[in-house]
Amino acid sequence: MEFLQITSPDDYRIQEIFNSYSTTFLEDERRDWYQFVKLFTNPNAKIISVLHETQNIGYLILWELSSHVFVEHFEVFAAFRSQKFGSHITGYLFKNFPRIILEIEPEHTDEDAQRRYSFYQKNGFRLIDEMYVQPSYGEGKKALDLWLLANYSPENLKEIKEEIYDIVYH
């Protein structure tokens, strides 16, 4: 498995990534095309293509913040799910980033949310905040009540959330 940072919106993989991103994540859970392309100009943001046997099977959208990496989006494309790729990707994250924080829908939302929460628990993450609110991605989009998970025990959760709000959702 390979993990390649994409550095330009002109990369041939970006359209496939954005198409899947737009289909998988609801309107309130994602950026529009213009906001997505702007990620390439932000030094904190990284879009990583996940390759298996030269095929693009998914992606990560990461933010390198002051004390941790924030995983904004993590997706294995539908055709490649249930093949343990997600666990390999979390292994990559743990190997390369000692402090990881991500947001998910609360477990009680639906069956998919339960499955995702279980997946993250099995892969070394634990719930650190049940009262987290993801800010709106922009005009006409709602803020969302989500959970924050981490692979470590952050001591300064309030500061971490403020940094996520200021840098990721500014």
Side-chain angles (χ1 to χ4, degrees), residues 106-119:
E107 177 186 31
H108 60 269
T109 307
D110 61 28
E111 204 172 291
D112 285 338
Q114 287 175 342
R115 185 181 43 75
R116 274 190 289 278
Y117 183 53
S118 176
F119 165 81

Side-chain angles (χ1 to χ4, degrees), residues 79-126:
F80 300 99
R81 292 184 188 145
S82 301
Q83 298 179 44
K84 306 281 186 221
F85 291 130
S87 294
H88 289 293
I89 294 167
T90 56
Y92 161 82
L93 287 169
F94 276 53
K95 182 179 172 194
N96 290 279
F97 308 104
R99 295 171 173 235
I100 304 163
I101 293 179
L102 53 86
E103 54 192 23
I104 65 168
E105 296 160 333
E107 177 186 31
H108 60 269
T109 307
D110 61 28
E111 204 172 291
D112 285 338
Q114 287 175 342
R115 185 181 43 75
R116 274 190 289 278
Y117 183 53
S118 176
F119 165 81
Y120 284 116
Q121 284 182 308
K122 284 185 220 163
N123 283 282
F125 288 90
R126 61 183 197 75

Side-chain angles (χ1 to χ4, degrees), residues 47-59:
I47 298 176
I48 298 176
S49 172
V50 180
L51 302 167
H52 176 68
E53 296 176 356
T54 70
Q55 254 188 314
N56 192 21
I57 64 159
Y59 63 90

